[in-house]
Amino acid sequence: MSDLILHHFATSPFSEKIRLVLGYKQLAWKSVHIPPIMPKPDVVALSGGYRKTPLLQIGADIYCDTALICDVLEHRQPQPSLYPPQHKGMARILAQWADTSLFWAAMAYAMQPKGLADMFGNMPPEAAKAFGEDRRAMQVGMTRLRPADATAALKSYLRRLSESLESQACLVDATPGLADFAAYHPLWYVRTRTPSMAGIFDAFPSVLAWMDRMAAIGHGQHDKLASGDAVAIAAAAEPLPVAGQTFQDEHGIALGSRVTVAAESFGLETTEGELVAATRMHYTLRRTDPRAGTVHVHFPRVGYVLKAV
């Protein structure tokens, strides 16, 4: 069975989501640290253009977006499950809200002057400028919350989370699940990356106690791997077969067509390739790179746009 290779960087909130899931499932993994901003030549060699963090690599298969990565890890190690049997649909709905509405409220709240000082105070001015320009390029066309609106929204969201956590240990069930990992990571960012802004949690002790329990899960067993070595692993491997997967056609685009896939919002870079699978849950593109060889790049359906070239 091929190694799990996570391409991530330390301060990435979505990476923290997956690092904790790996720890929760006690899965061993290889850690590839990637740059937080472009250029990311090794990432692009594997993904074909998708540059958001993290990526999960298994041999010559590249999985984009943490929603899909969680499904892959659940298949790899079903227990403990991320999906409570009686609340599977609700867990996914809450996770999608957390990865979008909660995430952007938390980021806009954190990126006020005191929070920016926490993030960039010890960074050379040119590095801070480059980071800001990189993120602005990823947010083209997005409506950004103003600080006052973000603060009001985040307080409301924390109040709602607190109401759930006052009567139970986790958001949906008695044990951590998908919704917990999704809701935790943007709050982790505010608390750890912008500590001067973390006073917003003080009014919600049940949320703080839950965050402490989530943090205690840890990241499991992992070893470092060089980025170039990960690309070489892909080049030496063959993608997993997709034959026999049920084709669900919503676009009138036949398998074998040249297509692009891009996120609906934030990080709109496209990946182009041959559509080799379109199931109920995900798309798979086959592409060939001079360094990575032939790879399959996988995207979830929800949150992504499929177009014929």
Side-chain angles (χ1 to χ4, degrees):
M1 190 177 290
S2 299
D3 289 332
L4 299 169
I5 303 171
L6 186 69
H7 298 253
H8 66 120
F9 59 89
T11 57
S12 160
F14 279 96
S15 295
E16 180 65 8
K17 174 184 175 182
I18 299 302
R19 290 187 294 251
L20 281 183
V21 171
L22 288 162
Y24 183 59
K25 289 185 170 290
Q26 298 183 22
L27 287 164
W29 54 285
K30 302 292 185 183
S31 170
V32 175
H33 282 271
I34 61 176
I37 64 173
M38 294 295 271
K40 302 182 180 185
D42 293 340
V43 169
V44 173
L46 293 168
S47 73
Y50 180 89
R51 48 76 50 103
K52 294 197 288 185
T53 306
L55 291 176
L56 180 69
Q57 175 187 351
I58 305 176
D61 285 87
I62 312 301
Y63 299 93
C64 303
D65 196 279
T66 59
L68 178 57
I69 291 171
C70 284
D71 285 345
V72 173
L73 296 179
E74 180 80 358
H75 184 264
R76 182 76 167 241
Q77 176 64 276
Q79 296 299 327
S81 178
L82 298 176
Y83 306 97
Q86 67 275 33
H87 301 299
K88 191 177 294 186
M90 183 56 66
R92 289 188 184 277
I93 290 168
L94 280 174
Q96 187 178 2
W97 161 79
D99 284 342
T100 53
S101 298
L102 177 62
F103 175 81
W104 287 115
M107 293 305 104
Y109 169 78
M111 291 183 186
Q112 297 183 63
K114 289 194 298 182
L116 290 171
D118 288 338
M119 285 185 271
F120 302 117
N122 296 321
M123 187 181 291
E126 60 274 15
K129 181 181 178 183
F131 184 91
E133 290 174 349
D134 181 86
R135 291 305 186 266
R136 275 191 292 275
M138 293 182 75
Q139 295 178 37
V140 169
M142 285 185 62
T143 299
R144 300 174 67 181
L145 282 173
R146 297 176 301 172
D149 296 324
T151 302
L154 185 56
K155 285 180 178 177
S156 291
Y157 293 155
L158 288 171
R159 190 175 301 111
R160 294 170 189 175
L161 293 173
S162 179
E163 288 169 355
S164 295
L165 294 166
E166 285 168 0
S167 58
Q168 58 191 38
C170 298
L171 292 177
V172 176
D173 205 13
T175 55
L178 181 68
D180 296 275
F181 292 101
Y184 173 77
H185 72 88
L187 306 184
W188 165 86
Y189 189 90
V190 172
R191 192 182 188 189
T192 63
R193 190 81 172 101
T194 60
S196 67
M197 305 295 291
I200 196 169
F201 297 114
D202 292 346
F204 308 101
S206 63
V207 173
L208 282 170
W210 165 77
M211 291 181 70
D212 289 342
R213 293 193 296 273
M214 294 297 294
I217 291 170
H219 299 160
Q221 178 188 344
H222 53 94
D223 301 309
K224 290 183 180 179
L225 180 69
S227 185
D229 291 342
V231 175
I233 287 171
E238 292 290 335
L240 294 172
V242 295
Q245 294 189 14
T246 301
F247 176 45
Q248 184 164 317
D249 181 16
E250 309 287 0
H251 298 79
I253 300 174
L255 294 180
S257 301
R258 296 295 299 180
V259 299
T260 61
V261 173
E264 288 178 355
S265 62
F266 186 68
L268 301 181
E269 294 84 359
T270 60
T271 293
E272 180 176 335
E274 175 192 355
L275 183 67
V276 294
T279 72
R280 181 173 57 87
M281 298 287 287
H282 73 276
Y283 305 116
T284 300
L285 275 57
R286 177 184 289 126
R287 53 177 308 278
T288 301
D289 178 85
R291 295 175 56 218
T294 298
V295 297
H296 284 175
V297 187
H298 308 269
F299 297 89
R301 277 187 179 261
V302 174
Y304 288 81
V305 177
L306 175 73
K307 292 182 179 180
V309 172

